[in-house]
Amino acid sequence: MAPDEEKEKERIMSLSQLQNFMKRDPEAYGPEFDQQWSHFDSQMEMFKLKPQKPSSSFSEQVMFLAHVAPSFPDKAKALPDLLIGALSDHFEVMHSSMRTTLVQALILLRNRDQFPCSKTLPVYFKLFRSQDKALRKSIFNHIVRDIAHMNQKKRNQKVNYELRDFFFAQMKETGTEICRHACAVFITMYRQNVWSDAHVVNLMSSGLLHPDLKVAAALAHLFLGNKTKGLEGILDESDDEDEADNINEAVTGIVGAKKTGNRVRKLKRAKKAAKKAAKKGKNNTNVVSFVAIDLLNDPQTLSERLLQRMSKGGEPFLFRLLMLHLVARLIGRHQLQVLNLYPFLQKYLVPTQKEVTKVMAALVEASHPAVPPEEVRPVVLHIVRYFVTEAQSSEVIEIGLNTIREVCARSINILTEEELADLCSFRKHKSKGVMMAVRSLINTYRELHPQLLHRSLRGREATVAVSRGEVQAPQFGEMQASEKIEGLDLLAKKSKVEGDEVDLMTEKVLSPDDFKKLRKLRLQKSIELQMGRKRPAEEMSSSSSSGSDSDEEDERGLTGRLPDQVSADMLSATPKRARTKAERLARARPLDKRLVHQSGLRAPSHNQKA
């Protein structure tokens, strides 16, 4: 080892020992700190002359001072400004190792609260332009951890507003990496429930119109309530490529490296299965949050501007489809009037369109009772004409019927009696999926508008309700105001209390358990109308015991609730069942047991001949 290298190694070892002594007893080592600071000054001047040259001694000196600076607050208070100035002036030509060292020193000083958070943010966002992926990731993780830690115990609203304004200004920058990282900070802070108020939500909403597609797409996922989507690809360009490389490496290890005909086929199948598994892992949650979209101040203007952006074209179809879903969610959730959307959707409603179910899901979410029926009716008739016809396959017919059912459930006055009768004629279709879709459509009209159905399709309960005047034909724009709690008479009957003699609203205070029973009784009444009959006692008891006790489950199927999300999978056709020999035998065995039980015979045991 050369003498200079030995001397440098001894100096570094002595620095680590001196660092330990200074932390233990700062007052006794004041002169030594002044000596090291003087050494740091001279090395800083040399660094400024040649910033592109790495220096291990300067790096060690910087980290040494960063560790001992909290022990000498008065003498080391200028250290953060010196490091920030060096980074800001020379980050473009600086060696990557030196750049990383200075950033690590600043992170160490900030973690020990040696300077405010806002002081380093401008230089950090300059560093987001660098090609060092690891450095960008380290800085981003530090920023979000720092802000979350600041708001963990006590929230300083003034500092938070200053930080929000800074990040919002960065989102308007022309630099792609800068605006993407600012957007990623907003999304991360929102999902960690650090910044989740209406002010932040409305700041983020302006990014939906950002020219960068990744920024707009990430925010669209946030407003659509997707908790696991949005940040993929916004921070790094090569995420998808890395994932593809990982998949290729994994499947190559499975099937072998040598390319033969059989192995190529195995490789193709394994790669397809790996991609499917990776996609399933990313989309393993169906939880959707409506909080962000409900906090918007001006959803009408936002939806109109987003629709205007989609109408121009020139952007990828999948991106426009994502924004289309967001516009539909805005319209349905806030009951907006954006009448240009429906003819725009109609252009994409063709059976040959690959993503037609997503377009149909957008149509469903954009339908609500306040939309004039004459605006939605042409689109529904278009679906009837091109989807619900004998010329199409059973899958296409089923998708069309499912869409019509969901749209008409939200805006009932669309179909006429003759048109509904034509759709109901498919209940005798050879496809079981089509039959189920038609029955579901009939059940919807039994509850919401039984007068439109033929008498033979109304069912006993709906027919009795119509004859008694309990069900009125819905009118567009009509608001039904109730003078009592809906379903209170059902609760009175259940409790064996005469509703005329005792007014439950004034004589009794309803408990949470009473309201829970009330919701279940309303749901039961809704199901009875749809099924066309009263449910037997054993059926009701089994469904109530097997059902969920949560309020969300109890509210399903009840009218008057806020619209829920609709996905393409909900409208898709029922998948065809496999017809392998093993599955046919598995299905036949429980059927044989039921037949034996019904006939009163006992099944032979293993030790007894049949």
Side-chain angles (χ1 to χ4, degrees):
M1 185 178 292
D4 293 340
E5 294 180 359
E6 291 182 358
K7 194 177 294 184
E8 180 65 23
K9 186 175 180 181
E10 291 177 0
R11 191 189 74 84
I12 292 173
M13 291 178 64
S14 63
L15 276 181
S16 61
Q17 294 175 355
L18 183 61
Q19 172 184 318
N20 189 21
F21 293 149
M22 284 183 175
K23 287 182 177 181
R24 291 183 179 182
D25 191 2
E27 296 180 359
Y29 287 89
E32 284 79 1
F33 180 83
D34 294 337
Q35 183 182 1
Q36 295 298 328
W37 185 267
S38 177
H39 187 52
F40 166 74
D41 276 338
S42 61
Q43 286 188 323
M44 176 64 79
E45 294 301 324
M46 294 175 60
F47 165 75
K48 290 180 180 178
L49 294 175
K50 293 183 178 180
Q52 69 277 8
K53 185 179 179 181
S55 173
S56 59
S57 61
F58 181 53
S59 298
E60 291 293 335
Q61 194 72 21
V62 169
M63 294 306 297
F64 166 78
L65 290 178
H67 277 284
V68 301
S71 301
F72 302 89
D74 295 331
K75 295 182 178 181
K77 62 181 180 181
L79 181 61
D81 292 330
L82 291 173
L83 299 181
I84 292 172
L87 272 173
S88 181
D89 295 337
H90 308 289
F91 76 95
E92 292 179 340
V93 296
M94 192 183 300
H95 192 271
S96 60
S97 62
M98 292 300 304
R99 193 163 48 222
T100 302
T101 299
L102 296 184
V103 169
Q104 288 176 348
L106 285 173
I107 291 175
L108 182 61
L109 290 169
R110 172 57 195 157
N111 289 341
R112 298 184 178 185
D113 202 18
Q114 298 299 297
F115 58 88
C117 172
S118 57
K119 182 174 284 189
T120 51
L121 287 178
V123 69
Y124 283 164
F125 271 82
K126 286 183 180 180
L127 292 174
F128 283 141
R129 299 173 183 170
S130 68
Q131 299 300 316
D132 193 341
K133 181 178 177 181
L135 180 65
R136 295 198 309 265
K137 185 176 181 180
S138 175
I139 293 174
F140 176 79
N141 291 336
H142 165 67
I143 290 174
V144 296
R145 279 198 306 264
D146 192 16
I147 298 175
H149 180 71
M150 286 168 51
N151 292 271
Q152 190 172 7
K153 294 182 180 179
K154 184 179 179 180
R155 300 197 176 193
N156 190 329
Q157 294 299 335
K158 182 180 179 181
V159 174
N160 278 325
Y161 273 105
E162 291 176 355
L163 293 176
R164 293 172 187 178
D165 292 340
F166 172 80
F167 290 121
F168 183 64
Q170 299 305 310
M171 282 182 61
K172 296 181 178 179
E173 289 290 328
T174 55
T176 303
E177 289 297 332
I178 291 177
C179 62
R180 286 180 182 176
H181 280 81
C183 174
V185 171
F186 269 123
I187 293 175
T188 306
M189 290 297 99
Y190 177 84
R191 287 181 173 167
Q192 292 183 6
N193 204 25
V194 178
W195 293 345
S196 56
D197 55 5
H199 178 247
V200 174
V201 169
N202 285 278
L203 284 179
M204 290 190 295
S205 66
S206 62
L208 292 168
L209 300 167
H210 199 279
D212 185 68
L213 299 185
K214 287 193 174 183
V215 171
L219 290 171
H221 281 297
L222 182 138
F223 280 96
L224 284 171
N226 299 329
K227 294 184 177 180
T228 57
K229 291 183 179 180
L231 286 176
E232 295 93 341
I234 189 176
L235 299 181
D236 301 297
E237 294 285 348
S238 59
D239 286 347
D240 296 336
E241 297 175 2
D242 292 344
E243 182 179 351
D245 293 339
N246 294 336
I247 291 174
N248 290 333
E249 183 178 353
V251 298
T252 302
I254 294 173
V255 301
K258 187 177 179 180
K259 287 188 176 181
T260 63
N262 190 25
R263 282 182 176 173
V264 167
R265 289 190 293 271
K266 285 184 178 180
L267 180 66
K268 189 175 180 180
R269 290 195 298 268
K271 191 181 296 186
K272 185 177 179 181
K275 287 183 177 179
K276 187 177 180 181
K279 185 177 180 182
K280 185 177 180 181
K282 287 182 178 180
N283 304 330
N284 58 354
T285 177
N286 294 322
V287 179
V288 174
S289 172
F290 295 96
V291 176
I293 209 168
D294 289 342
L295 290 175
L296 290 171
N297 291 335
D298 191 5
Q300 179 74 36
T301 303
L302 178 61
S303 59
E304 290 174 353
R305 295 180 67 182
L306 288 174
L307 181 59
Q308 185 180 7
R309 175 178 184 170
M310 288 185 296
S311 303
K312 291 181 180 178
E315 294 173 332
F317 176 71
L318 291 179
F319 171 78
R320 285 187 289 149
L321 195 61
L322 176 66
M323 305 308 287
L324 183 66
H325 194 184
L326 177 59
V327 172
R329 179 74 57 82
L330 284 167
I331 293 173
R333 194 71 183 174
H334 293 275
Q335 295 202 355
L336 307 177
Q337 298 287 342
V338 186
L339 304 182
N340 293 336
L341 176 68
Y342 306 102
F344 179 79
L345 286 170
Q346 186 172 335
K347 297 188 299 183
Y348 298 98
L349 290 175
V350 290
T352 55
Q353 172 61 253
K354 185 178 179 180
E355 305 290 345
V356 69
T357 51
K358 294 183 179 179
V359 181
M360 287 180 160
L363 172 64
V364 171
E365 291 209 38
S367 304
H368 55 83
V371 178
E374 59 270 14
E375 299 293 336
V376 188
R377 178 175 165 79
V379 189
V380 173
L381 294 181
H382 175 84
I383 295 175
V384 173
R385 186 178 302 114
Y386 290 98
F387 286 81
V388 190
T389 173
E390 293 287 352
Q392 296 292 352
S393 64
S394 58
E395 290 82 3
V396 174
I397 299 174
E398 187 177 351
I399 292 172
L401 287 169
N402 290 338
T403 306
I404 294 171
R405 179 196 69 233
E406 294 295 333
V407 172
C408 292
R410 290 160 171 78
S411 182
I412 194 69
N413 298 307
I414 294 178
L415 297 175
T416 63
E417 187 174 351
E418 292 78 13
E419 292 163 350
L420 182 60
D422 290 339
L423 295 177
C424 293
S425 64
F426 281 87
R427 67 186 184 278
K428 298 180 181 179
H429 196 273
K430 60 182 180 180
S431 171
K432 187 175 181 179
V434 174
M435 293 169 58
M436 293 172 61
V438 175
R439 289 175 184 173
S440 183
L441 177 66
I442 293 172
N443 292 342
T444 300
Y445 271 88
R446 279 177 176 176
E447 181 181 6
L448 300 178
H449 197 349
Q451 297 90 336
L452 213 62
L453 288 168
H454 190 270
R455 290 182 60 89
S456 61
L457 298 177
R458 292 178 186 175
R460 185 175 59 188
E461 289 298 311
T463 302
V464 172
V466 171
S467 63
R468 291 177 179 175
E470 297 176 359
V471 180
Q472 301 294 329
Q475 300 295 327
F476 172 68
E478 180 184 35
M479 299 294 293
Q480 295 182 356
S482 179
E483 297 180 354
K484 62 179 182 178
I485 301 175
E486 186 179 353
L488 197 62
D489 54 340
L490 300 174
L491 184 62
K493 293 178 182 178
K494 182 72 174 179
S495 304
K496 297 181 179 180
V497 178
E498 292 296 331
D500 296 335
E501 298 178 1
V502 180
D503 192 351
L504 293 181
M505 289 192 298
T506 58
E507 298 294 334
K508 181 182 177 182
V509 177
L510 297 180
S511 65
D513 291 336
D514 291 331
F515 279 106
K516 192 172 183 179
K517 292 177 183 177
L518 187 68
R519 286 192 294 267
K520 286 187 176 181
L521 291 171
R522 288 174 56 197
L523 180 60
Q524 178 189 335
K525 183 67 175 177
S526 170
I527 295 174
E528 287 175 355
L529 285 173
Q530 295 178 26
M531 295 179 66
R533 60 179 173 84
K534 283 190 177 291
R535 304 171 73 191
E538 60 273 11
E539 185 180 338
M540 290 179 352
S541 61
S542 63
S543 63
S544 61
S545 61
S546 61
S548 173
D549 292 333
S550 65
D551 291 340
E552 293 181 0
E553 292 290 335
D554 294 338
E555 290 291 346
R556 288 184 182 177
L558 299 182
T559 58
R561 70 192 189 283
L562 286 174
D564 201 359
Q565 59 98 14
V566 177
S567 65
D569 295 335
M570 297 178 183
L571 303 177
S572 300
T574 306
K576 291 184 178 179
R577 296 181 178 178
R579 290 296 181 182
T580 62
K581 182 178 180 180
E583 291 188 355
R584 289 199 303 270
L585 290 174
R587 289 188 61 197
R589 288 192 186 102
L591 180 61
D592 292 341
K593 292 181 180 179
R594 289 198 301 270
L595 291 175
V596 169
H597 178 72
Q598 291 173 2
S599 63
L601 300 175
R602 188 174 64 180
S605 63
H606 294 289
N607 298 324
Q608 180 182 359
K609 292 184 179 180

